Amino acid sequence: MGYFSKRKRQKREILFLSTVLLLLGLATIAAFFDDGGSSIIYYIDAWRFQLYIILLLIMLYAVISRHLLFAAAALLLLGGNYMILASSGPLFFNQTSEPGDQLRLFYQNSPKDMDRFLHGAGSYNARIAGINFRHDTYIPKVADNTRYHFFHTHGDIMKTALFAEDMPLRSGKINFSHNQEASFMVFEQSGRRFVLLNLYFSRLPISEQETVFRNLAEFVLSQDDPVIVVGDFGVPAWIPVFKNFLKKTALEVKNHIILSDGRYRINPFAVPTFYILGYRNVGVSDITFLPRKNAKTFPVGITLNIRPAETN
């Protein structure tokens, strides 16, 4: 390659890196000022993990092309985004706990066939299965299924429900706003009682976020037993309203970031909103997307690791 050709290539690389890093820098700085008041800044903040991945690629490109000053600038922005992301939960690996008993859960949104849904839960050997719908949906009574039992009132118009192998100590539904509700049950595992909350806040409007997360925190803090929360929260964990909820309740995000909207196993453009929350006695051993069998969304198999209760 001639001298002038090399100079032209370097100029193109410098222009590209300057433009991209300027835009990513502005987006990163804007996201730091997300207070829920601006929808534009909110959506930039929601894409923070994608910004992190892009910055990582830009830094590697700058190093390979030997533009070390741009690589340092990308590294600085990368570090700022990483601190925000890591402060809300793990990025690439599930958070496990000390060795203990396993609890298997089965979670799916909007399945078309209830019998097939319960058959999938049985194939995964799940103890509890959670189901959710975006709109009010009649959940029919499931006949000829002796393994899983439905503990809500049959014929209810509901968006969410839980099925379990054995009778819970307590179960029901709770409303967090006019449009958002969740199902819960109290059960025994590893010598202690837990409250499992199954929710689906998909497409949660910005105007409802403060109310929903405040009511959710009140529910968690009102329980005498440890709470496990599984579901689509509608927002990523690093959004201020979610981070404030985690700080207030002392719950922790247990799963790595999942780039999926449920319809695809991996969607790089999806905002990660599916989380498993628990206290330090709960860890996630495995999260698996299972065959969806003509359903709109993939069911999720979750294996939790529960630390046994201490005995005197």
Side-chain angles (χ1 to χ4, degrees), residues 8-18 20-21 53-72 74-75:
K8 287 182 179 179
R9 190 196 69 182
Q10 288 180 340
K11 286 183 178 179
R12 288 195 299 268
E13 290 174 349
I14 291 173
L15 178 61
F16 168 74
L17 288 170
S18 301
V20 172
L21 284 175
I53 297 299
I54 294 171
L55 281 167
L56 181 61
L57 296 175
I58 291 297
M59 187 190 72
L60 293 175
Y61 174 77
V63 170
I64 292 172
S65 59
R66 298 182 180 180
H67 295 291
L68 299 184
L69 185 61
F70 289 105
L75 179 62

PDB file of all heavy atoms in Angstrom, residues 8-18 20-21 53-72 74-75:
ATOM      1  N   LYS A   8      -4.835   8.148   3.549  1.00  0.00           N
ATOM      2  CA  LYS A   8      -6.282   8.256   3.350  1.00  0.00           C
ATOM      3  C   LYS A   8      -7.035   7.268   4.237  1.00  0.00           C
ATOM      4  O   LYS A   8      -8.078   7.590   4.811  1.00  0.00           O
ATOM      5  CB  LYS A   8      -6.633   8.001   1.871  1.00  0.00           C
ATOM      6  CG  LYS A   8      -6.245   9.141   0.939  1.00  0.00           C
ATOM      7  CD  LYS A   8      -6.656   8.828  -0.482  1.00  0.00           C
ATOM      8  CE  LYS A   8      -6.295   9.986  -1.416  1.00  0.00           C
ATOM      9  NZ  LYS A   8      -6.672   9.692  -2.822  1.00  0.00           N
ATOM     10  N   ARG A   9      -6.498   6.061   4.339  1.00  0.00           N
ATOM     11  CA  ARG A   9      -7.147   5.060   5.192  1.00  0.00           C
ATOM     12  C   ARG A   9      -7.132   5.507   6.652  1.00  0.00           C
ATOM     13  O   ARG A   9      -8.122   5.372   7.375  1.00  0.00           O
ATOM     14  CB  ARG A   9      -6.435   3.719   5.053  1.00  0.00           C
ATOM     15  CG  ARG A   9      -7.179   2.553   5.723  1.00  0.00           C
ATOM     16  CD  ARG A   9      -6.288   1.373   5.903  1.00  0.00           C
ATOM     17  NE  ARG A   9      -5.255   1.649   6.904  1.00  0.00           N
ATOM     18  CZ  ARG A   9      -4.296   0.773   7.244  1.00  0.00           C
ATOM     19  NH1 ARG A   9      -4.241  -0.411   6.657  1.00  0.00           N
ATOM     20  NH2 ARG A   9      -3.402   1.094   8.153  1.00  0.00           N
ATOM     21  N   GLN A  10      -6.003   6.046   7.104  1.00  0.00           N
ATOM     22  CA  GLN A  10      -5.907   6.520   8.470  1.00  0.00           C
ATOM     23  C   GLN A  10      -6.884   7.664   8.737  1.00  0.00           C
ATOM     24  O   GLN A  10      -7.496   7.740   9.813  1.00  0.00           O
ATOM     25  CB  GLN A  10      -4.475   6.967   8.769  1.00  0.00           C
ATOM     26  CG  GLN A  10      -3.489   5.819   8.900  1.00  0.00           C
ATOM     27  CD  GLN A  10      -2.083   6.303   9.187  1.00  0.00           C
ATOM     28  OE1 GLN A  10      -1.739   7.464   8.939  1.00  0.00           O
ATOM     29  NE2 GLN A  10      -1.232   5.406   9.701  1.00  0.00           N
ATOM     30  N   LYS A  11      -7.049   8.560   7.760  1.00  0.00           N
ATOM     31  CA  LYS A  11      -7.996   9.664   7.920  1.00  0.00           C
ATOM     32  C   LYS A  11      -9.422   9.143   8.034  1.00  0.00           C
ATOM     33  O   LYS A  11     -10.214   9.652   8.827  1.00  0.00           O
ATOM     34  CB  LYS A  11      -7.872  10.635   6.744  1.00  0.00           C
ATOM     35  CG  LYS A  11      -6.625  11.501   6.777  1.00  0.00           C
ATOM     36  CD  LYS A  11      -6.612  12.477   5.620  1.00  0.00           C
ATOM     37  CE  LYS A  11      -5.376  13.375   5.682  1.00  0.00           C
ATOM     38  NZ  LYS A  11      -5.332  14.330   4.533  1.00  0.00           N
ATOM     39  N   ARG A  12      -9.742   8.143   7.220  1.00  0.00           N
ATOM     40  CA  ARG A  12     -11.090   7.552   7.298  1.00  0.00           C
ATOM     41  C   ARG A  12     -11.301   6.897   8.661  1.00  0.00           C
ATOM     42  O   ARG A  12     -12.372   7.012   9.260  1.00  0.00           O
ATOM     43  CB  ARG A  12     -11.291   6.534   6.164  1.00  0.00           C
ATOM     44  CG  ARG A  12     -11.437   7.145   4.784  1.00  0.00           C
ATOM     45  CD  ARG A  12     -11.994   6.120   3.805  1.00  0.00           C
ATOM     46  NE  ARG A  12     -11.111   4.970   3.666  1.00  0.00           N
ATOM     47  CZ  ARG A  12     -10.153   4.860   2.744  1.00  0.00           C
ATOM     48  NH1 ARG A  12      -9.954   5.871   1.894  1.00  0.00           N
ATOM     49  NH2 ARG A  12      -9.400   3.784   2.659  1.00  0.00           N
ATOM     50  N   GLU A  13     -10.277   6.191   9.147  1.00  0.00           N
ATOM     51  CA  GLU A  13     -10.385   5.547  10.458  1.00  0.00           C
ATOM     52  C   GLU A  13     -10.557   6.581  11.567  1.00  0.00           C
ATOM     53  O   GLU A  13     -11.380   6.401  12.472  1.00  0.00           O
ATOM     54  CB  GLU A  13      -9.141   4.695  10.713  1.00  0.00           C
ATOM     55  CG  GLU A  13      -9.034   3.461   9.844  1.00  0.00           C
ATOM     56  CD  GLU A  13      -7.714   2.737  10.024  1.00  0.00           C
ATOM     57  OE1 GLU A  13      -6.800   3.305  10.669  1.00  0.00           O
ATOM     58  OE2 GLU A  13      -7.584   1.607   9.529  1.00  0.00           O
ATOM     59  N   ILE A  14      -9.792   7.670  11.492  1.00  0.00           N
ATOM     60  CA  ILE A  14      -9.885   8.712  12.510  1.00  0.00           C
ATOM     61  C   ILE A  14     -11.248   9.382  12.475  1.00  0.00           C
ATOM     62  O   ILE A  14     -11.857   9.642  13.519  1.00  0.00           O
ATOM     63  CB  ILE A  14      -8.757   9.749  12.318  1.00  0.00           C
ATOM     64  CG1 ILE A  14      -7.402   9.121  12.656  1.00  0.00           C
ATOM     65  CG2 ILE A  14      -8.997  10.987  13.176  1.00  0.00           C
ATOM     66  CD1 ILE A  14      -6.213  10.002  12.343  1.00  0.00           C
ATOM     67  N   LEU A  15     -11.757   9.649  11.274  1.00  0.00           N
ATOM     68  CA  LEU A  15     -13.089  10.261  11.148  1.00  0.00           C
ATOM     69  C   LEU A  15     -14.160   9.330  11.707  1.00  0.00           C
ATOM     70  O   LEU A  15     -15.064   9.769  12.430  1.00  0.00           O
ATOM     71  CB  LEU A  15     -13.371  10.583   9.680  1.00  0.00           C
ATOM     72  CG  LEU A  15     -14.750  11.196   9.385  1.00  0.00           C
ATOM     73  CD1 LEU A  15     -14.917  12.527  10.107  1.00  0.00           C
ATOM     74  CD2 LEU A  15     -14.962  11.357   7.881  1.00  0.00           C
ATOM     75  N   PHE A  16     -14.046   8.052  11.385  1.00  0.00           N
ATOM     76  CA  PHE A  16     -15.020   7.077  11.869  1.00  0.00           C
ATOM     77  C   PHE A  16     -14.985   6.982  13.391  1.00  0.00           C
ATOM     78  O   PHE A  16     -16.025   7.061  14.062  1.00  0.00           O
ATOM     79  CB  PHE A  16     -14.728   5.706  11.245  1.00  0.00           C
ATOM     80  CG  PHE A  16     -15.485   4.576  11.875  1.00  0.00           C
ATOM     81  CD1 PHE A  16     -16.849   4.409  11.636  1.00  0.00           C
ATOM     82  CD2 PHE A  16     -14.847   3.680  12.731  1.00  0.00           C
ATOM     83  CE1 PHE A  16     -17.555   3.365  12.220  1.00  0.00           C
ATOM     84  CE2 PHE A  16     -15.541   2.639  13.310  1.00  0.00           C
ATOM     85  CZ  PHE A  16     -16.899   2.483  13.056  1.00  0.00           C
ATOM     86  N   LEU A  17     -13.793   6.833  13.953  1.00  0.00           N
ATOM     87  CA  LEU A  17     -13.674   6.703  15.401  1.00  0.00           C
ATOM     88  C   LEU A  17     -14.109   7.972  16.117  1.00  0.00           C
ATOM     89  O   LEU A  17     -14.776   7.913  17.160  1.00  0.00           O
ATOM     90  CB  LEU A  17     -12.224   6.362  15.770  1.00  0.00           C
ATOM     91  CG  LEU A  17     -11.763   4.936  15.418  1.00  0.00           C
ATOM     92  CD1 LEU A  17     -10.258   4.796  15.598  1.00  0.00           C
ATOM     93  CD2 LEU A  17     -12.498   3.902  16.252  1.00  0.00           C
ATOM     94  N   SER A  18     -13.754   9.128  15.571  1.00  0.00           N
ATOM     95  CA  SER A  18     -14.144  10.403  16.190  1.00  0.00           C
ATOM     96  C   SER A  18     -15.656  10.544  16.226  1.00  0.00           C
ATOM     97  O   SER A  18     -16.237  10.923  17.250  1.00  0.00           O
ATOM     98  CB  SER A  18     -13.518  11.570  15.433  1.00  0.00           C
ATOM     99  OG  SER A  18     -12.118  11.503  15.417  1.00  0.00           O
ATOM    100  N   VAL A  20     -18.071   8.155  15.897  1.00  0.00           N
ATOM    101  CA  VAL A  20     -18.745   7.140  16.706  1.00  0.00           C
ATOM    102  C   VAL A  20     -18.544   7.400  18.190  1.00  0.00           C
ATOM    103  O   VAL A  20     -19.495   7.335  18.990  1.00  0.00           O
ATOM    104  CB  VAL A  20     -18.244   5.734  16.326  1.00  0.00           C
ATOM    105  CG1 VAL A  20     -18.803   4.696  17.294  1.00  0.00           C
ATOM    106  CG2 VAL A  20     -18.649   5.389  14.907  1.00  0.00           C
ATOM    107  N   LEU A  21     -17.322   7.720  18.595  1.00  0.00           N
ATOM    108  CA  LEU A  21     -17.065   7.953  20.015  1.00  0.00           C
ATOM    109  C   LEU A  21     -17.746   9.222  20.517  1.00  0.00           C
ATOM    110  O   LEU A  21     -18.177   9.279  21.677  1.00  0.00           O
ATOM    111  CB  LEU A  21     -15.559   8.036  20.257  1.00  0.00           C
ATOM    112  CG  LEU A  21     -14.812   6.698  20.240  1.00  0.00           C
ATOM    113  CD1 LEU A  21     -13.316   6.905  20.369  1.00  0.00           C
ATOM    114  CD2 LEU A  21     -15.311   5.776  21.340  1.00  0.00           C
ATOM    115  N   ILE A  53     -21.607  -2.928  24.672  1.00  0.00           N
ATOM    116  CA  ILE A  53     -21.081  -3.885  23.693  1.00  0.00           C
ATOM    117  C   ILE A  53     -20.463  -3.145  22.506  1.00  0.00           C
ATOM    118  O   ILE A  53     -19.382  -3.516  22.018  1.00  0.00           O
ATOM    119  CB  ILE A  53     -22.196  -4.844  23.225  1.00  0.00           C
ATOM    120  CG1 ILE A  53     -22.713  -5.683  24.398  1.00  0.00           C
ATOM    121  CG2 ILE A  53     -21.682  -5.740  22.108  1.00  0.00           C
ATOM    122  CD1 ILE A  53     -21.673  -6.558  25.047  1.00  0.00           C
ATOM    123  N   ILE A  54     -21.136  -2.098  22.021  1.00  0.00           N
ATOM    124  CA  ILE A  54     -20.604  -1.324  20.900  1.00  0.00           C
ATOM    125  C   ILE A  54     -19.273  -0.674  21.279  1.00  0.00           C
ATOM    126  O   ILE A  54     -18.310  -0.677  20.495  1.00  0.00           O
ATOM    127  CB  ILE A  54     -21.619  -0.256  20.439  1.00  0.00           C
ATOM    128  CG1 ILE A  54     -22.859  -0.933  19.851  1.00  0.00           C
ATOM    129  CG2 ILE A  54     -21.002   0.680  19.400  1.00  0.00           C
ATOM    130  CD1 ILE A  54     -23.996   0.024  19.565  1.00  0.00           C
ATOM    131  N   LEU A  55     -19.198  -0.108  22.486  1.00  0.00           N
ATOM    132  CA  LEU A  55     -17.951   0.501  22.946  1.00  0.00           C
ATOM    133  C   LEU A  55     -16.832  -0.522  23.044  1.00  0.00           C
ATOM    134  O   LEU A  55     -15.671  -0.224  22.739  1.00  0.00           O
ATOM    135  CB  LEU A  55     -18.174   1.175  24.306  1.00  0.00           C
ATOM    136  CG  LEU A  55     -18.843   2.542  24.276  1.00  0.00           C
ATOM    137  CD1 LEU A  55     -19.303   2.950  25.670  1.00  0.00           C
ATOM    138  CD2 LEU A  55     -17.884   3.583  23.705  1.00  0.00           C
ATOM    139  N   LEU A  56     -17.167  -1.723  23.473  1.00  0.00           N
ATOM    140  CA  LEU A  56     -16.164  -2.785  23.554  1.00  0.00           C
ATOM    141  C   LEU A  56     -15.605  -3.102  22.167  1.00  0.00           C
ATOM    142  O   LEU A  56     -14.383  -3.238  21.989  1.00  0.00           O
ATOM    143  CB  LEU A  56     -16.786  -4.031  24.183  1.00  0.00           C
ATOM    144  CG  LEU A  56     -15.863  -5.244  24.377  1.00  0.00           C
ATOM    145  CD1 LEU A  56     -14.706  -4.898  25.311  1.00  0.00           C
ATOM    146  CD2 LEU A  56     -16.646  -6.429  24.928  1.00  0.00           C
ATOM    147  N   LEU A  57     -16.484  -3.185  21.172  1.00  0.00           N
ATOM    148  CA  LEU A  57     -16.046  -3.454  19.803  1.00  0.00           C
ATOM    149  C   LEU A  57     -15.231  -2.293  19.238  1.00  0.00           C
ATOM    150  O   LEU A  57     -14.225  -2.511  18.545  1.00  0.00           O
ATOM    151  CB  LEU A  57     -17.269  -3.729  18.916  1.00  0.00           C
ATOM    152  CG  LEU A  57     -18.089  -4.974  19.266  1.00  0.00           C
ATOM    153  CD1 LEU A  57     -19.330  -5.064  18.392  1.00  0.00           C
ATOM    154  CD2 LEU A  57     -17.243  -6.238  19.127  1.00  0.00           C
ATOM    155  N   ILE A  58     -15.657  -1.062  19.537  1.00  0.00           N
ATOM    156  CA  ILE A  58     -14.922   0.110  19.057  1.00  0.00           C
ATOM    157  C   ILE A  58     -13.535   0.158  19.679  1.00  0.00           C
ATOM    158  O   ILE A  58     -12.539   0.486  19.007  1.00  0.00           O
ATOM    159  CB  ILE A  58     -15.705   1.402  19.383  1.00  0.00           C
ATOM    160  CG1 ILE A  58     -16.981   1.483  18.532  1.00  0.00           C
ATOM    161  CG2 ILE A  58     -14.841   2.633  19.150  1.00  0.00           C
ATOM    162  CD1 ILE A  58     -16.723   1.565  17.042  1.00  0.00           C
ATOM    163  N   MET A  59     -13.434  -0.172  20.959  1.00  0.00           N
ATOM    164  CA  MET A  59     -12.127  -0.177  21.610  1.00  0.00           C
ATOM    165  C   MET A  59     -11.199  -1.205  20.965  1.00  0.00           C
ATOM    166  O   MET A  59     -10.020  -0.918  20.700  1.00  0.00           O
ATOM    167  CB  MET A  59     -12.290  -0.473  23.105  1.00  0.00           C
ATOM    168  CG  MET A  59     -10.981  -0.340  23.884  1.00  0.00           C
ATOM    169  SD  MET A  59     -11.084  -0.942  25.579  1.00  0.00           S
ATOM    170  CE  MET A  59     -11.177  -2.711  25.297  1.00  0.00           C
ATOM    171  N   LEU A  60     -11.730  -2.392  20.696  1.00  0.00           N
ATOM    172  CA  LEU A  60     -10.918  -3.426  20.053  1.00  0.00           C
ATOM    173  C   LEU A  60     -10.489  -2.990  18.653  1.00  0.00           C
ATOM    174  O   LEU A  60      -9.343  -3.213  18.241  1.00  0.00           O
ATOM    175  CB  LEU A  60     -11.711  -4.736  19.979  1.00  0.00           C
ATOM    176  CG  LEU A  60     -12.011  -5.417  21.317  1.00  0.00           C
ATOM    177  CD1 LEU A  60     -12.897  -6.633  21.116  1.00  0.00           C
ATOM    178  CD2 LEU A  60     -10.718  -5.809  22.028  1.00  0.00           C
ATOM    179  N   TYR A  61     -11.402  -2.354  17.920  1.00  0.00           N
ATOM    180  CA  TYR A  61     -11.071  -1.859  16.574  1.00  0.00           C
ATOM    181  C   TYR A  61      -9.973  -0.799  16.645  1.00  0.00           C
ATOM    182  O   TYR A  61      -9.042  -0.792  15.826  1.00  0.00           O
ATOM    183  CB  TYR A  61     -12.317  -1.287  15.910  1.00  0.00           C
ATOM    184  CG  TYR A  61     -12.056  -0.612  14.581  1.00  0.00           C
ATOM    185  CD1 TYR A  61     -11.851  -1.374  13.429  1.00  0.00           C
ATOM    186  CD2 TYR A  61     -12.006   0.774  14.478  1.00  0.00           C
ATOM    187  CE1 TYR A  61     -11.602  -0.762  12.204  1.00  0.00           C
ATOM    188  CE2 TYR A  61     -11.759   1.399  13.267  1.00  0.00           C
ATOM    189  CZ  TYR A  61     -11.552   0.623  12.139  1.00  0.00           C
ATOM    190  OH  TYR A  61     -11.303   1.238  10.932  1.00  0.00           O
ATOM    191  N   ALA A  62     -10.067   0.110  17.634  1.00  0.00           N
ATOM    192  CA  ALA A  62      -9.059   1.162  17.781  1.00  0.00           C
ATOM    193  C   ALA A  62      -7.700   0.576  18.135  1.00  0.00           C
ATOM    194  O   ALA A  62      -6.656   1.049  17.653  1.00  0.00           O
ATOM    195  CB  ALA A  62      -9.497   2.160  18.841  1.00  0.00           C
ATOM    196  N   VAL A  63      -7.672  -0.458  18.961  1.00  0.00           N
ATOM    197  CA  VAL A  63      -6.406  -1.101  19.326  1.00  0.00           C
ATOM    198  C   VAL A  63      -5.798  -1.783  18.110  1.00  0.00           C
ATOM    199  O   VAL A  63      -4.586  -1.658  17.841  1.00  0.00           O
ATOM    200  CB  VAL A  63      -6.631  -2.116  20.467  1.00  0.00           C
ATOM    201  CG1 VAL A  63      -5.370  -2.957  20.690  1.00  0.00           C
ATOM    202  CG2 VAL A  63      -7.002  -1.392  21.752  1.00  0.00           C
ATOM    203  N   ILE A  64      -6.629  -2.522  17.356  1.00  0.00           N
ATOM    204  CA  ILE A  64      -6.129  -3.231  16.176  1.00  0.00           C
ATOM    205  C   ILE A  64      -5.598  -2.256  15.132  1.00  0.00           C
ATOM    206  O   ILE A  64      -4.577  -2.510  14.482  1.00  0.00           O
ATOM    207  CB  ILE A  64      -7.249  -4.117  15.586  1.00  0.00           C
ATOM    208  CG1 ILE A  64      -7.574  -5.260  16.554  1.00  0.00           C
ATOM    209  CG2 ILE A  64      -6.833  -4.689  14.232  1.00  0.00           C
ATOM    210  CD1 ILE A  64      -8.788  -6.066  16.159  1.00  0.00           C
ATOM    211  N   SER A  65      -6.294  -1.127  14.971  1.00  0.00           N
ATOM    212  CA  SER A  65      -5.859  -0.127  13.985  1.00  0.00           C
ATOM    213  C   SER A  65      -4.809   0.827  14.550  1.00  0.00           C
ATOM    214  O   SER A  65      -4.419   1.782  13.891  1.00  0.00           O
ATOM    215  CB  SER A  65      -7.066   0.664  13.473  1.00  0.00           C
ATOM    216  OG  SER A  65      -7.729   1.312  14.543  1.00  0.00           O
ATOM    217  N   ARG A  66      -4.386   0.597  15.805  1.00  0.00           N
ATOM    218  CA  ARG A  66      -3.296   1.319  16.460  1.00  0.00           C
ATOM    219  C   ARG A  66      -3.620   2.801  16.703  1.00  0.00           C
ATOM    220  O   ARG A  66      -2.723   3.642  16.675  1.00  0.00           O
ATOM    221  CB  ARG A  66      -1.999   1.179  15.651  1.00  0.00           C
ATOM    222  CG  ARG A  66      -1.515  -0.255  15.522  1.00  0.00           C
ATOM    223  CD  ARG A  66      -0.217  -0.343  14.764  1.00  0.00           C
ATOM    224  NE  ARG A  66       0.231  -1.724  14.641  1.00  0.00           N
ATOM    225  CZ  ARG A  66       1.358  -2.095  14.015  1.00  0.00           C
ATOM    226  NH1 ARG A  66       2.162  -1.171  13.493  1.00  0.00           N
ATOM    227  NH2 ARG A  66       1.683  -3.362  13.949  1.00  0.00           N
ATOM    228  N   HIS A  67      -4.863   3.087  16.964  1.00  0.00           N
ATOM    229  CA  HIS A  67      -5.255   4.436  17.374  1.00  0.00           C
ATOM    230  C   HIS A  67      -5.469   4.391  18.891  1.00  0.00           C
ATOM    231  O   HIS A  67      -6.599   4.298  19.382  1.00  0.00           O
ATOM    232  CB  HIS A  67      -6.528   4.866  16.640  1.00  0.00           C
ATOM    233  CG  HIS A  67      -6.350   5.003  15.159  1.00  0.00           C
ATOM    234  ND1 HIS A  67      -5.578   5.995  14.590  1.00  0.00           N
ATOM    235  CD2 HIS A  67      -6.840   4.256  14.130  1.00  0.00           C
ATOM    236  CE1 HIS A  67      -5.599   5.875  13.271  1.00  0.00           C
ATOM    237  NE2 HIS A  67      -6.357   4.820  12.963  1.00  0.00           N
ATOM    238  N   LEU A  68      -4.360   4.435  19.624  1.00  0.00           N
ATOM    239  CA  LEU A  68      -4.402   4.179  21.057  1.00  0.00           C
ATOM    240  C   LEU A  68      -5.125   5.274  21.832  1.00  0.00           C
ATOM    241  O   LEU A  68      -5.720   5.003  22.877  1.00  0.00           O
ATOM    242  CB  LEU A  68      -2.978   4.012  21.587  1.00  0.00           C
ATOM    243  CG  LEU A  68      -2.182   2.846  20.967  1.00  0.00           C
ATOM    244  CD1 LEU A  68      -0.831   2.708  21.637  1.00  0.00           C
ATOM    245  CD2 LEU A  68      -2.966   1.548  21.038  1.00  0.00           C
ATOM    246  N   LEU A  69      -5.100   6.506  21.331  1.00  0.00           N
ATOM    247  CA  LEU A  69      -5.808   7.586  22.011  1.00  0.00           C
ATOM    248  C   LEU A  69      -7.316   7.342  21.973  1.00  0.00           C
ATOM    249  O   LEU A  69      -8.013   7.526  22.973  1.00  0.00           O
ATOM    250  CB  LEU A  69      -5.466   8.929  21.365  1.00  0.00           C
ATOM    251  CG  LEU A  69      -6.049  10.171  22.050  1.00  0.00           C
ATOM    252  CD1 LEU A  69      -5.525  10.268  23.490  1.00  0.00           C
ATOM    253  CD2 LEU A  69      -5.707  11.430  21.264  1.00  0.00           C
ATOM    254  N   PHE A  70      -7.807   6.891  20.823  1.00  0.00           N
ATOM    255  CA  PHE A  70      -9.232   6.571  20.704  1.00  0.00           C
ATOM    256  C   PHE A  70      -9.575   5.331  21.527  1.00  0.00           C
ATOM    257  O   PHE A  70     -10.661   5.237  22.095  1.00  0.00           O
ATOM    258  CB  PHE A  70      -9.602   6.348  19.230  1.00  0.00           C
ATOM    259  CG  PHE A  70      -9.593   7.599  18.412  1.00  0.00           C
ATOM    260  CD1 PHE A  70      -8.552   7.863  17.524  1.00  0.00           C
ATOM    261  CD2 PHE A  70     -10.605   8.534  18.525  1.00  0.00           C
ATOM    262  CE1 PHE A  70      -8.532   9.017  16.766  1.00  0.00           C
ATOM    263  CE2 PHE A  70     -10.604   9.695  17.762  1.00  0.00           C
ATOM    264  CZ  PHE A  70      -9.558   9.940  16.891  1.00  0.00           C
ATOM    265  N   ALA A  71      -8.633   4.395  21.580  1.00  0.00           N
ATOM    266  CA  ALA A  71      -8.859   3.196  22.402  1.00  0.00           C
ATOM    267  C   ALA A  71      -8.981   3.577  23.872  1.00  0.00           C
ATOM    268  O   ALA A  71      -9.823   3.033  24.600  1.00  0.00           O
ATOM    269  CB  ALA A  71      -7.718   2.209  22.198  1.00  0.00           C
ATOM    270  N   ALA A  72      -8.165   4.541  24.317  1.00  0.00           N
ATOM    271  CA  ALA A  72      -8.240   4.995  25.705  1.00  0.00           C
ATOM    272  C   ALA A  72      -9.564   5.700  25.976  1.00  0.00           C
ATOM    273  O   ALA A  72     -10.163   5.515  27.052  1.00  0.00           O
ATOM    274  CB  ALA A  72      -7.069   5.932  26.001  1.00  0.00           C
ATOM    275  N   ALA A  74     -12.412   5.139  24.400  1.00  0.00           N
ATOM    276  CA  ALA A  74     -13.436   4.094  24.433  1.00  0.00           C
ATOM    277  C   ALA A  74     -13.390   3.332  25.747  1.00  0.00           C
ATOM    278  O   ALA A  74     -14.425   2.984  26.319  1.00  0.00           O
ATOM    279  CB  ALA A  74     -13.241   3.141  23.254  1.00  0.00           C
ATOM    280  N   LEU A  75     -12.183   3.085  26.260  1.00  0.00           N
ATOM    281  CA  LEU A  75     -12.030   2.377  27.529  1.00  0.00           C
ATOM    282  C   LEU A  75     -12.623   3.185  28.682  1.00  0.00           C
ATOM    283  O   LEU A  75     -13.255   2.627  29.582  1.00  0.00           O
ATOM    284  CB  LEU A  75     -10.550   2.097  27.793  1.00  0.00           C
ATOM    285  CG  LEU A  75     -10.219   1.368  29.099  1.00  0.00           C
ATOM    286  CD1 LEU A  75     -10.867  -0.018  29.122  1.00  0.00           C
ATOM    287  CD2 LEU A  75      -8.715   1.251  29.278  1.00  0.00           C
TER     288      LEU A  75
END
